[in-house]
Amino acid sequence: MAQPMPKYVLLAGAFLLAVLLFGEIPFRAPEFAHWDLFRYQAMAEAFPDIDPEVKLPFAGRLLGPALVAALPVPVETSFRLWTLVAGLATTLLLCRFLERRGIRTETAVLVTVLFVFNRQFFGTVLWNYFQLNDMLGFVCLLAAFEAMLARRWTFFALALAVGVFAREIVLVMVPTAICYLACPGEEDNRSRRWPAAILSMVPTLVIFVLLRNTLPESGRGVVETCRDFSVKAGAWRTWYYLLVNSVSPLTFLPVLFHRRALRFLADRPWLVVYAALVFVSSFMGSNNERLMAPVFVAFYWLVAHVIDGWAGRWRTLAMGLV
């Protein structure tokens, strides 16, 4: 009897297929002349110095350019290589994360493959590999969730401290973790080590404040950014892009199985807080689906939970019939 294909081989194969299907950005084409990718190129070329022409918030996203500058290859090639490494790591870590949440291996692999072929969340970053920091942010978010749920606050602090150098979105893990600690669970709250958890958040907040106060400013603060980009909330297309198109074709799966989905979320209100904060943060930039991408941890966990539950029912029914 043939042995099933090892899950990591299957995941790596799906990832490589996605790389081929999504292709890569022709970044020298005139239509991309004003995209953010050239800011990240300039940062990598200047590293370890700071390019004074690159302003916040881009100037604070140092992790990607630092890694790129560390390789003795052309900047464009280094961006591509690191994005592939971070993308493969995200793929494997997501599957492992789902398994550790009690999801069957078959379901975890299936849902991870569905994520890999999500053009808006994953494919766009593979294509525009200069958005390396987005992919590094995915890795740090998965690591932060894993550490939080295991109550390993030293690793939580490390994941956030590294992640804040990639994307500011990791800051949403601070209120998420506080909500997680406050919510009743299987264990007494006293066992959750509030002091250690709160202390683990301090380095990231300090780093963020230092970055905001030492790097070149764009002249547009958080309030001005919210004011400038929040106007897109008045367009119905924005809501379609954020809530429907971003997770297509799985958009309505939680709606169809709403009872199971609602029970899942009711048991994890801190996950709702996380998703809500990511949604709010998407109104602080011009992109839509890409800014919603960090919600992938919550959404694909929910999808895996729904699929796993119904797969288990069908399997039980089939065994009963046999």
Side-chain angles (χ1 to χ4, degrees):
M1 183 176 179
Q3 294 295 319
M5 183 180 297
K7 63 180 179 182
Y8 293 122
V9 174
L10 181 60
L11 291 171
F15 173 75
L16 292 176
L17 180 59
V19 170
L20 295 175
L21 289 177
F22 291 124
E24 57 183 87
I25 185 172
F27 65 92
R28 292 189 176 87
E31 58 264 35
F32 304 116
H34 301 291
W35 281 32
D36 299 341
L37 58 91
F38 290 104
R39 293 187 175 94
Y40 296 124
Q41 281 182 288
M43 290 171 63
E45 291 169 352
F47 196 85
D49 296 324
I50 302 297
D51 189 327
E53 297 301 318
V54 180
K55 311 297 184 182
L56 288 170
F58 307 101
R61 299 166 185 169
L62 295 166
L63 182 58
L67 292 175
V68 168
L71 293 184
V73 296
V75 167
E76 296 83 0
T77 303
S78 189
F79 267 107
R80 182 64 166 166
L81 291 175
W82 278 115
T83 298
L84 294 176
V85 170
L88 182 59
T90 299
T91 302
L92 301 180
L93 287 173
L94 177 59
C95 183
R96 181 60 177 161
F97 173 82
L98 294 175
E99 288 182 305
R100 289 176 67 89
R101 307 284 79 77
I103 303 298
R104 293 184 180 88
T105 297
E106 298 89 342
T107 306
V109 171
L110 170 63
V111 171
T112 301
V113 170
L114 291 173
F115 166 70
V116 166
F117 288 100
N118 181 321
R119 182 179 185 86
Q120 306 301 334
F121 283 1
F122 198 72
T124 297
V125 184
L126 284 180
W127 174 72
N128 182 5
Y129 48 86
F130 293 96
Q131 295 288 356
L132 167 62
N133 281 319
D134 285 31
M135 201 71 82
L136 294 171
F138 293 166
V139 174
C140 292
L141 284 171
L142 283 168
F145 264 104
E146 192 69 67
M148 180 186 76
L149 295 173
R151 293 175 291 280
R152 300 178 68 180
W153 299 111
T154 300
F155 289 100
F156 182 77
L158 180 61
L160 262 61
V162 173
V164 78
F165 284 105
R167 296 286 297 192
E168 304 84 356
I169 192 62
V170 300
L171 291 173
V172 303
M173 290 301 300
V174 172
T176 300
I178 293 174
C179 184
Y180 168 74
L181 289 166
C183 290
E186 296 180 359
E187 299 181 14
D188 189 273
N189 278 347
R190 288 174 296 179
S191 69
R192 299 196 178 195
R193 302 175 62 186
W194 274 89
I198 297 300
L199 187 62
S200 70
M201 306 171 193
V202 174
T204 298
L205 297 175
V206 171
I207 292 171
F208 177 72
V209 171
L210 289 175
L211 290 174
R212 297 295 300 187
N213 288 277
T214 58
L215 294 174
E217 296 185 7
S218 63
R220 183 169 61 185
V222 175
V223 175
E224 292 80 4
T225 300
C226 292
R227 183 188 60 205
D228 293 345
F229 290 110
S230 61
V231 295
K232 70 180 187 179
W236 68 266
R237 292 182 181 84
T238 300
W239 297 85
Y240 169 77
Y241 293 146
L242 292 175
L243 300 177
V244 178
N245 195 52
S246 63
V247 290
S248 177
L250 301 175
T251 309
F252 298 106
L253 186 66
V255 177
L256 292 173
F257 301 100
H258 59 278
R259 291 182 180 177
R260 185 169 179 81
L262 288 175
R263 286 196 298 269
F264 173 83
L265 295 175
D267 292 338
R268 301 165 182 83
W270 45 270
L271 201 59
V272 178
V273 170
Y274 173 79
L277 290 172
V278 172
F279 176 75
V280 171
S281 73
S282 67
F283 290 95
M284 298 184 67
S286 58
N287 294 113
N288 290 307
E289 294 94 339
R290 192 171 66 82
L291 293 178
M292 274 293 288
V295 84
F296 82 96
V297 183
F299 181 79
Y300 284 94
W301 184 5
L302 171 60
V303 167
H305 179 77
V306 170
I307 293 176
D308 210 37
W310 282 94
R313 290 189 181 185
W314 284 110
R315 182 178 297 179
T316 302
L317 177 61
M319 291 178 64
L321 291 174
V322 172

